[in-house]
Amino acid sequence: MTSELVPGGNRALPAGALTIRVPGPFDVSAIVTGEDGRTSGDGDFVFFNQPRAPGARLDGDTLTVDPARLRPGARRVTVVLSPADARTPLAALPSPVMTVAGGGRVLARFTPLRPAAETVLLLAELYRRETGWKVRALGQGYAEGLAGVARDFGIDVEDDAGPPPSLPPSGRSAPAGPGPASAAAPGGQDPLLDLVNSRRSRAGVRPVTVDARLAAAARAHAADMAAHGRLSADSPSGTSLFQRVTAAGYAYLILTEHLVSGPRTPAEFMDYCLTGPERHGPFADATFTHLGPGHAVDATGRTYWTVLWVRPYSPAGLEQAVADVLALTNAERAAAALPPLAADPRLATAARAHSDDMARRDFYAHTTPEGREPWDRARAAGATHRAIGENIACGQRTPAEVVRGWMDSPGHRANILTPHFTHLGVGYAPGGRAGTYWTQLFGGAC
């Protein structure tokens, strides 16, 4: 069965060679990294001018990867997408569609959200997990071109005009030895907080406060990024930023993050974030009430920032998120001239339990590790519908984002617009490796 992946979604891969294909006016590249998230040298960069590396081969729009033949110590292959014509922005091109095939069949498909100002997409990654390999959809925009991506993975790149005097800031809103974490100003006030709240005041938005647990998680994550020289929500140790937050004892409803390297001071960090349309949103967003700032400096003097923007968990907030997913789903059905779905508390119980289970046990699938399927969970919760369907997603931060992602995926869209479904239960669980886990459980009479 082909998996329609959403950002953050993953799928186990069979042994043997795999092909990753992205047709269209794009250049496909790949970066091979080890346990520390860094390359071993220029030979780990596979692109149009260097189409081969041990275990990886690029032929036009198709990348072939044989994990067993990768160079010793390889643990991850990041698939990168850029415009074939460097003068054309990604936003002006058709939405890319990636397919992953192996063993003579298509295993997974991923259509990322259309980029805005980004020049490169970190499209997906193949990564080793215990004795096997998995693919994870990313869809993360990168604003500094292919050379900037390569540099941040530890590859020395010289531009035609010569190397810049210093590396520019790089980051994603929305991945040497560690240096010191951010220090608080006298009296315990974080130096970034005043700048943030001054900006929020001008925007007419209430101030945020620094939560000590969030700040501790942010500092630890920034130090980890500095230690390994990479921007990522995941640590090479396998711990994600979101797991750091929950392990610190903070329960969140919505969390977004700035992961940035380069700016040396809070003021420079602010200037960098406010100049990017994909980065400035949280500064004037009344959704967030807590801030978790942290930074660390690596052995070369480069600064790594982790800044968390958070709305804390509340039962009322959770119920509102679930209600919003139902309302947005019914709006899509209304646009297709279909009757609305009614809320079903039994389906909701099963959906909520599945989202909680995926977050707690770190898996992402319709089938649980014990082999339980959506209809098994619905029946166990007391639902009597003859027809059952399920959509799942992980990594999306809001109801609007997750419903839009489902509607942009043919398989998930089909469930939402199935005429004979009459009821819906929605589950949402923050936390876990991906940060958020969503489940829609549909019920119908036939």
Side-chain angles (χ1 to χ4, degrees), residues 196-206 280-286:
V196 168
N197 281 335
S198 176
R199 179 76 183 187
R200 290 173 74 86
S201 177
R202 292 196 299 274
V205 178
R206 63 183 177 179
H280 67 65
F283 289 90
D285 192 336

Side-chain angles (χ1 to χ4, degrees), residues 205-251:
V205 178
R206 63 183 177 179
V208 292
T209 58
V210 171
D211 183 276
R213 296 163 296 179
L214 292 175
R219 289 194 298 270
H221 192 74
D224 190 275
M225 292 195 301
H228 296 96
R230 65 192 292 261
L231 294 173
S232 176
D234 289 322
S235 164
S237 68
T239 300
S240 78
L241 170 61
F242 314 105
Q243 289 168 317
R244 291 185 194 277
V245 171
T246 54
Y250 189 101

Side-chain angles (χ1 to χ4, degrees), residues 93-172:
L93 298 177
S95 294
V97 178
M98 179 191 76
T99 56
V100 181
R105 61 192 180 94
V106 175
L107 304 169
R109 185 178 291 107
F110 175 49
T111 303
L113 297 177
R114 183 182 294 275
E118 297 90 345
T119 57
V120 172
L121 277 180
L122 302 187
L123 190 60
E125 59 184 7
L126 309 181
Y127 63 100
R128 185 164 185 167
R129 189 67 183 275
E130 297 176 349
T131 59
W133 283 75
K134 304 180 81 171
V135 59
R136 177 186 290 124
L138 298 176
Q140 295 175 335
Y142 211 94
E144 293 166 353
L146 205 55
V149 174
R151 289 189 189 100
D152 276 357
F153 278 88
I155 298 171
D156 291 329
V157 177
E158 291 190 3
D159 296 327
D160 292 339
S166 62
L167 288 177
S170 59
R172 304 172 205 152

Side-chain angles (χ1 to χ4, degrees), residues 2 32 87 143 158 203 217 233 242 271 288 313 319 339 352 369 386:
T2 302
V32 181
R87 298 167 298 180
E158 291 190 3
F242 314 105
D271 288 344
F288 304 112
Y313 172 86
E319 289 304 313
R352 184 168 55 249
R386 295 178 60 187

Side-chain angles (χ1 to χ4, degrees), residues 386-400:
R386 295 178 60 187
I388 294 293
E390 184 178 81
N391 285 343
I392 59 175
C394 65
Q396 294 80 7
R397 311 306 171 90
T398 65

Side-chain angles (χ1 to χ4, degrees), residues 324-398:
D324 287 347
V325 170
L326 176 61
L328 290 166
T329 299
N330 280 334
E332 296 291 350
R333 288 177 65 89
L338 294 171
L341 302 172
D344 187 311
R346 299 161 299 183
L347 294 175
T349 296
R352 184 168 55 249
H354 189 55
S355 289
D356 288 338
D357 194 26
M358 289 190 292
R360 179 174 54 85
R361 294 201 288 171
D362 191 21
F363 74 96
Y364 178 71
H366 295 287
T367 306
T368 69
E370 298 80 18
R372 289 170 59 84
E373 303 287 356
W375 41 90
D376 299 321
R377 296 189 289 272
R379 185 167 55 249
T384 57
H385 305 282
R386 295 178 60 187
I388 294 293
E390 184 178 81
N391 285 343
I392 59 175
C394 65
Q396 294 80 7
R397 311 306 171 90
T398 65

